[in-house]
Amino acid sequence: MIHSLFVINHLGDIFLEKHWKSVISRSVCDYFFEAREKAVDPENVPPVLQTPHHYLISIYRGKLFFLSVIQTEVPPLFVIEFLHRVADTFQDYFGECSESVISDNVVIVYELLEEMLDNGFPLATESNVLKEMIRPPNILRSVVNTLTGGSNVGETLPQGQLSNIPWRRAGVKYTNNEAYFDVTEEIDAIVDKSGTTVSAEIQGVIEACVKLSGMPDLTMSFMNPRLLDDVSFHPCVRFRRWESERVLSFIPPDGNFTLMTYHISSQNLVAIPVYVKQSISFFEAGSCGRLDITIGPKQTMGKTVEDLKVTVHMPKAVLNANLTASQGNYTYDFTTKLLVWDIGKLNPQKLPNLRGSLSMQTGVPNPEENPSLNIDLKIQQLAISGLKVSRLDMYGEMYKPFKGVKYVTKAGKFQVRT
Amino acid sequence: MTAMQKLLQLPVNAVNMVKTVQSQVQGQEEDKSPVLTPDSGQQAWYSALQPDELRHLRSGGTGGGGGGDQEERAPLEEGGGGGFQTQPLRHDDLKEMLDSNKDSLKLEAMKRIVAMIARGKNASDLFPAVVKNVACKNIEVKKLVYVYLVRYAEEQQDLALLSISTFQRGLKDPNQLIRASALRVLSSIRVTIIVPIMMLAIKEAASDMSPYVRKTAAHAIPKLYSLDPEQKDQLIEVIEKLLADKTTLVAGSVVMAFEEVCPERIDLIHKNYRKLCNLLIDVEEWGQVVIINMLTRYARTQFLNPNINESLLEEGGSGDKTFYGSDEDEDEDEEEKEKKAEAAAMAKRKPYVMDPDHRLLLRNTKPLLQSRNAAVVMAVAQLYFHLAPKAEVGVIAKALVRLLRSHSEVQYVVLQNVATMSIKRRGMFEPYLKSFYIRSTDPTQIKVLKLEVLTNLANETNISTILREFQTYIKSMDKDFVAATIQAIGRCATNISEVRDTCLNGLVQLLSNRDELVVAESVVVIKKLLQMQPEKHSDIIKHMAKLTDNIQVPMARASILWLIGEYCEHVPKIAPDVLRKMAKSFTNEEDIVKLQIINLAAKLYLTNSKQTKLLTQYVLNLAKYDQNYDIRDRARFIRQLIVPTEKSGALSKYAKKLFLALKPAPVLESPFKDRDHFQLGSLSHLLNAKAGGYQELPDWPEAAPDPSVRNVEVPEWTKCSSREKRKEKKVEKPFYTDSEGESGPTESADSESDSASGLESSSGSEESGSGSESEESKEASESEEEEEEEEEEQKKKKKKDLKKPVQESESEQSSEEEERKHQRKSKPRKSESESESDEDEESESESSQSESEDSESEAEVKKKKKTAESKPPPKPLKKESKKEKKEMSLLDLDDFEPAPSPQVTPVNTFLSNSLVTDLEGLSLSDSVLSPATIAPSSALKSYELLHRITGEGLSVEYCFSRQPFSPDANMVAVQMQFTNSASSDTKNLHIEDVKLQSGMRVKEFPEIELLPAGETATAVMGIDFCDSTQAANFQLCTHTRKFFVSIQPPVGELMRPVFLTENEFKKEQGQLMGMNEITEKLTLDVKCRNEHAIVQRVTTAANLSRVPCGSDKECRFAGRTVTSGSLVLVTVATKEEGAAQLTVNCEKMVIGTMLVKDILQALTQ
């Protein structure tokens, strides 16, 4: 299936290659570089390319391209999903997924890749299993290893692959048994010029950090499970239980993992926490423009809106911005044409406002389109959909764990058209 | 073969040999001067000396754990820098480290070497030094040596052979992980000479005890195949063996091997089909993808098109699906239509009944739509798209829309597939229209794809919203996207005639846009639109003519010129003027524009030669000397054709006809049209070209191949009474110990304790020993409750087994094993029979899931729940006694005989003996689509047909078995039970003189020739009641007498359950309002205030299936009447204190009213 993998940095250097079958010359990447040249943005490189003898499937993550070489028919999503899993694993192991980190840990990376794929077919992709075989680096261990000549490879052979619960390793022990769940909801919305919502959806995710000894069996139930109209689960969740009783029943992996994601589609009503009043105009004469943005709270359920931020991709013709912000500060990057207004907390009494003039390049026709505003915000202790975890029960172990749930609402792809 | 013999004779400790070889190699190396042979491996080292490389090396070293000696060495390397001389130095260095006794040094050296490999640097000449460390005790060194070996063994085959003995030893290791890793490396080193060794190793590993080793063996199969395709036949044997494996761990890998080695051997799947379906949910994600894709292909060869009937309906012009149907018809070309007609004709002959195995596949894949892995979701989506009946495909839309939030690469692939699907099944994605709206931050390729989907989804109702969206897109800064939007508008305009003028006007407005690209694209699209009705739009043509002054984009200019030429009659004044201008600029135009200028000139010459004769001559002269031969040729050709000379032939008479012929309007269609002949989700589909190794998705067969091939050859336990038979079977089963011990746990991802699942299944076999199917199923459903007790039982039994003579116990075990196999296979069957015989819905869902849910804790929870529901307690007792009986029978197998089936569950005896029939019932009742939905009624209500006294000893009872009556789907199956309590035999039982209301039909049961005294017999007859509750009257005849009897059905039996989703239900309900809706308020019976009880009572009263519902205050049910197929929807909404409201929606009001009465009675008493 997956023949080879090349990792390429944003400059176009191949700094890692791994072959699972016979070796393929790195010149095969030239086709990719050609496509990369053609697409102005790295995001616009087609994920699947066809060359005379191979197919190239690539993903773009953290300024790196993971490029896999395929020779025969394979579902493209299979490869894409796997490449993302590889990137996730690096992130999990090293805290980030960047060129420097991969170069620094090249041996571990190589060992990981060796374990994750056999003859091009995924073998072990579960983080818990991998961590048993290849230990993630940490400072203490590298010091110890240096002194003793020890290694990162686990001494005992992992049992996870063989057990009936491949995502959890055996013999986990903690002195403090804790289980934390973060319910994060992101609002994806498009609001048009007049302030009416064109589309709005909520994307929710429940991230868990479970540090429990032994083999706990958890059950999570919701006050209002009917809200969740489309869900996807970590493999540990028992689907039938969900179908029949609408509770999440699972034996959790050890550590951090994504328990479930859910989607509340545009067919439902979605509360929009803020409104935006804006007027951006460019004048034909005098080559200047005017900008005036005010943001106010709309449906915030009585909570404060924090980390409010407005990002505007200005048209190419805008040279500079001369604005005053009643709250927070703004920056305008001349090269990327990015106007960022960092507001902070939204005060309902005194609405933040940004106004002033834009200076334009002379002799260039005015842009006919106004840029759209991207809004970032955060509301603590609130899931905007109204989802609430009602209880979390543990079976199978005797101790009393500490349990915690946190709710956060964020703006996802929140866009205001002007 | 000699090479191999040599190999096998290799001494175990090959270090000495390695050393000699190594020194030879070194000697060779020294002979070569790096300068003289620049193209040898040395060259790489030379270039490796660049500072960049050194930096990498150092950083790699520290990252990998940072050897203490590295810091010392680094300056050394640099110190010698500047020439190629340092290069061998570093090699020697590494070699020295590898030769040392210290593991830490070896490790350090290996780390550096691996870092070099990772960067693509050549490290091949270290091979001899590395390879002898293959036997190193340190695990990490060993691992890195493996990495090196796999990379370079192909290049240094002879030396690689030295490592083989280590692996061969590893293959015999008691630790399964070492065995597995030895096989992994052995099969990865791609040395042709060891093919026979690999073959042997694979064969051995395929019957290893450990499922993990077997999995590795499955992985090794494609490796060996790519190395030596000659081994195919032998490998297929191994694949066949591994396909029969029952563990989830192996399933994915072996199907992968199957797909790579012998995808055409679909026959190998038959026997394993049901097992694969049932294991699927517990297989790891990647395996799921491969299995699902393979099963899609399989299903296409084995089952009938589920949409045959629907197309038939559509052609009849009935039903709610005409809308989509007509859509589809448009899309289909003639050929397909013909095919369809054929298929329809076939369908007419025989009503379509979905193969139970087909249903099984759909049912078991559906939960995977909830997977976190996009590839799995896509795989299920394509399976549904290609295999599911039209009405069910809709479920995938939601999941696909969810994927749109994922990484942009995932979005890209998903949108491509959605685009294809949305052409065929527009209705599916319509509710999610807004999810395809475009954000300015989307990458262009995503924008374009979303646009494609939006265009496909456009119809009369939503076009105005879509056009409003498009309007905002046109203003985007991303010009490629704007161009795509304009084309999309053009397509909307062609497809939906209502908005054609609006679109055209909008596009004309765009002509004054400042951006040239936008204008150019608009011109091209307008040209296409105008072609449809040019006479109405001469002003637009005029407007466009003016644009020639400004637009520079060649394609747009060409389009305008073509338009003017084509419709020059509509703009008689402007056209010559345009030609004049063009003649002026002719030499500076692009080729396509030049060609169009010539065309325009020719057309004008033909219509208006007075004004344009000279101009045309001029243009043609210019063209005559053009650089492009196409243009020269065209000019010559046109001159000959239009300018009359004495030599000109007959053709010039027809010049006008040739040039000004009516041209058909272009069809603007999606580039995704007809892409679905590729399997969706595949690479080939994405590229719209066949990729290497792509397996065509076959067309549906016209007649279904024999479904019995999927029956697993496990003779019915009940029939197997002779010991010899069982002994034979013992040979077949491969690893007894393994499946008992090791494979048990892996069977199910969710099961918690190994022993529990193992025990459970074997206890299942124990139960089935009683022989009676009905008993078996009943108990299995309770096995959850009984787990602990059974465990004890099991232990006892084991002890007994031990005491028995060896041979005896062996055969015992083997048969047990056999039975286990059987058991597992027959899980779905169990669940089915439960649906009739048991009211415990949890256990049903549980076992139908094939063991995946039986974790103990869960069982505990369930137990609690059950007690809460206050189950009748005597069951366990009863069971206990039965068990005793069973044990007896197990100990004394020869005496074993099938017990007569008890009366409570006559269905099982009737529907019985082959798995197929059982499954058929299962699938048609749709029970697993929503496991909890069909609340099984505890027992079917029996009615008396003939009393013992009137029948002179013959008594007849009948019940409605709720099974589909296979000879005729429109008939209700009535199961009769004849009991002869007289002292003499009854002969020739049959039906005569049937008196029916018009339209009703009866299918009699086959004559029962002999019913001995005291015996019981059952038979099934079918009655088509025509959706009325009129009685069917007939005579029941014996050899001596005739009895007048009549069967009158309760209204609830006149329907069969259908599965609807909540949305479908609501939609259907919305269409059955007013007269068709009957509402009744009621107070629920005290014992019937929980959901469970309501479901049970309603389903007992009427043959309906439950519809999932988000609220726990409402229960919904759906069914269709058997004859006419009219929908029957029932809703029970509960309120405080037992108050409730019953709503029945049904097109047939009589049925509705009667049903309300029946259900009301059921719920209040």
Side-chain angles (χ1 to χ4, degrees), chain B residues 1092-1160:
Chain B
H1092 182 79
I1094 293 172
V1095 172
Q1096 198 206 322
R1097 290 201 189 189
V1098 173
T1099 45
T1100 314
N1103 190 12
L1104 297 172
S1105 87
R1106 191 162 170 212
V1107 174
C1109 169
S1111 150
D1112 52 3
K1113 291 266 184 269
E1114 268 195 2
C1115 299
R1116 296 180 182 149
F1117 307 85
R1120 280 186 192 278
T1121 56
V1122 171
T1123 309
S1124 67
S1126 321
L1127 262 185
V1128 184
L1129 308 174
V1130 177
T1131 315
V1132 183
T1134 52
K1135 291 167 190 149
E1136 248 81 271
E1137 294 178 7
Q1141 183 171 322
L1142 170 70
T1143 312
V1144 174
N1145 301 71
C1146 181
E1147 204 177 293
K1148 303 228 164 190
M1149 280 177 278
V1150 185
I1151 293 212
T1153 344
M1154 291 169 81
L1155 190 63
V1156 166
K1157 229 164 67 189
D1158 282 7
I1159 295 180
L1160 214 59

Side-chain angles (χ1 to χ4, degrees), chain A residues 75-82 84-85 232-233, chain B residues 285-286 288-289 292 368-382 399-400 402-407 409-411 413-414 417 681:
Chain A
L77 269 183
F78 185 96
V79 182
I80 290 172
E81 187 76 22
F82 177 79
H84 277 294
R85 202 61 70 79
S232 73
F233 299 122
Chain B
E285 307 162 89
W286 313 107
Q288 284 173 346
V289 178
I292 293 172
L368 296 176
L369 282 175
Q370 255 64 47
S371 171
R372 64 169 171 174
N373 188 321
V376 177
V377 177
M378 190 65 232
V380 179
Q382 66 83 20
L400 289 176
R402 185 184 66 227
L403 296 184
L404 293 181
R405 242 324 274 264
S406 191
H407 302 284
E409 295 87 8
V410 176
Q411 283 185 42
V413 178
V414 170
N417 286 292

Side-chain angles (χ1 to χ4, degrees), chain A residues 17 26 44 60 73 104 114 118 146 151 157 164 186 188 201 217 226 231 238 240 366 369 372 415, chain B residues 63 118-119 140 184 223 370 405 409 435 440 444 475 514 683-684 692 750-751 849 857-858 1110:
Chain A
E17 63 176 73
R26 51 167 73 189
N44 271 330
Y60 182 65
E73 168 68 45
D104 287 349
E114 184 74 30
D118 181 17
T146 322
S151 71
L157 294 157
N164 45 349
E186 293 194 351
D188 290 357
E201 340 183 298
D217 193 336
R226 262 208 306 149
V231 286
R238 299 180 179 101
R240 303 278 162 168
N366 279 341
E369 186 214 22
S372 48
Q415 202 159 76
Chain B
R119 281 190 195 88
E140 187 163 19
R184 221 184 123 186
K223 296 183 202 169
Q370 255 64 47
R405 242 324 274 264
E409 295 87 8
S435 304
S440 60
T444 309
K475 288 191 248 154
R514 245 174 283 140
L683 187 62
S684 305
D750 285 5
S751 83
Q849 229 239 70
S857 70
E858 211 166 306

Side-chain angles (χ1 to χ4, degrees), chain B residues 451-513:
Chain B
L451 205 58
E452 174 67 38
V453 175
L454 285 175
T455 315
N456 289 341
L457 293 181
N459 61 19
E460 286 83 351
T461 47
N462 59 22
I463 184 69
S464 55
T465 20
I466 290 182
L467 281 182
R468 212 176 308 134
E469 262 308 288
F470 284 178
Q471 247 159 26
T472 47
Y473 301 162
I474 282 173
K475 288 191 248 154
S476 167
M477 285 183 257
D478 185 342
K479 292 306 166 202
D480 294 339
F481 169 51
V482 174
T485 310
I486 293 167
Q487 281 179 3
I489 294 175
R491 261 177 55 204
C492 287
T494 40
N495 295 341
I496 303 159
S497 51
E498 283 92 332
V499 294
R500 194 167 296 154
D501 289 339
T502 331
C503 291
L504 203 52
N505 287 336
L507 289 171
V508 170
Q509 276 171 27
L510 284 178
L511 292 178
S512 51
N513 194 293

Side-chain angles (χ1 to χ4, degrees), chain A residues 148-172:
Chain A
T148 61
S151 71
N152 281 314
V153 172
E155 249 105 82
T156 50
L157 294 157
Q159 299 300 311
Q161 262 167 307
L162 311 172
S163 89
N164 45 349
I165 309 169
W167 55 84
R168 189 175 178 88
R169 57 196 174 96
V172 183

Side-chain angles (χ1 to χ4, degrees), chain B residues 692-705:
Chain B
Y694 172 73
Q695 295 289 317
E696 282 299 337
L697 195 62
D699 266 336
W700 294 101
E702 297 215 338

Side-chain angles (χ1 to χ4, degrees), chain A residues 1 15-17 20-23 26 43-48 50 55 58-61 72-78 80-82 84-85 103-107 110-111 114-115 117-119 121-123 125-126 142 146 149-153 155 157-158 161-162 164-165 167 186 188-190 193 198-199 201 203 215 217 226 229-235 238-241 243 245 251 266-267 313 315 365-366 368-369 372 374 395 413 415 417, chain B residues 59 63-66 107 111 114-115 117-120 139-140 143-144 147 151 154 175-177 184 190 212 215 219 222-223 249 256 260 285-286 289-290 293 367 370-375 378 398-399 402 405 407 409-413 431-432 434-435 437-441 443-445 469 472-473 475-477 513-514 681-684 686-687 691-694 745-746 748-752 754 849 853 855 857-858 861-862 928 931 1110-1111:
Chain A
M1 287 198 144
F15 67 94
L16 185 87
E17 63 176 73
W20 283 277
K21 299 183 183 179
S22 52
V23 179
R26 51 167 73 189
E43 279 173 347
N44 271 330
V45 183
V48 182
Q50 191 174 7
Y55 305 96
S58 62
I59 63 159
Y60 182 65
R61 273 278 289 263
T72 52
E73 168 68 45
V74 60
L77 269 183
F78 185 96
I80 290 172
E81 187 76 22
F82 177 79
H84 277 294
R85 202 61 70 79
S103 299
D104 287 349
N105 297 291
V106 74
V107 176
Y110 224 68
E111 283 170 335
E114 184 74 30
E115 286 303 331
L117 222 50
D118 181 17
N119 194 35
F121 190 75
L123 191 63
T125 50
E126 206 56 66
S142 62
T146 322
S151 71
N152 281 314
V153 172
E155 249 105 82
L157 294 157
Q161 262 167 307
L162 311 172
N164 45 349
I165 309 169
W167 55 84
E186 293 194 351
D188 290 357
I190 302 175
K193 212 179 251 181
V198 177
S199 80
E201 340 183 298
Q203 191 71 28
M215 274 290 167
D217 193 336
R226 262 208 306 149
D229 106 297
D230 186 37
V231 286
S232 73
F233 299 122
H234 189 274
R238 299 180 179 101
F239 183 71
R240 303 278 162 168
R241 273 298 283 288
E243 244 192 0
E245 299 167 55
I251 295 172
S266 48
Q267 286 148 311
H313 277 271
N366 279 341
E368 65 226 73
E369 186 214 22
S372 48
N374 294 303
Y395 306 95
K413 297 172 183 165
Q415 202 159 76
R417 291 175 177 168
Chain B
S59 62
L107 184 61
K111 275 182 177 171
V114 168
I117 297 174
R119 281 190 195 88
I139 295 176
E140 187 163 19
K143 265 197 170 170
L144 295 177
V147 170
R151 171 70 178 76
E154 204 174 7
N175 186 325
Q176 51 177 342
L177 287 157
R184 221 184 123 186
R190 293 183 301 273
Y212 184 65
K215 183 190 175 78
H219 277 280
K223 296 183 202 169
L249 207 56
M256 178 69 231
E260 290 210 0
E285 307 162 89
W286 313 107
V289 178
V290 178
N293 280 321
Q370 255 64 47
S371 171
R372 64 169 171 174
N373 188 321
M378 190 65 232
K398 213 187 249 180
R402 185 184 66 227
R405 242 324 274 264
H407 302 284
E409 295 87 8
V410 176
Q411 283 185 42
Y412 176 81
V413 178
Y432 304 99
K434 286 184 173 178
S435 304
Y437 282 4
I438 293 154
R439 291 182 167 76
S440 60
T441 40
T444 309
Q445 48 186 356
E469 262 308 288
T472 47
Y473 301 162
K475 288 191 248 154
S476 167
M477 285 183 257
N513 194 293
R514 245 174 283 140
S682 67
L683 187 62
S684 305
L686 193 79
L687 299 167
Y694 172 73
T746 49
S748 114
D750 285 5
S751 83
E752 209 178 3
D754 306 1
Q849 229 239 70
E853 294 275 292
S855 83
S857 70
E858 211 166 306
V861 181
K862 293 272 159 69
V928 186
S1111 150

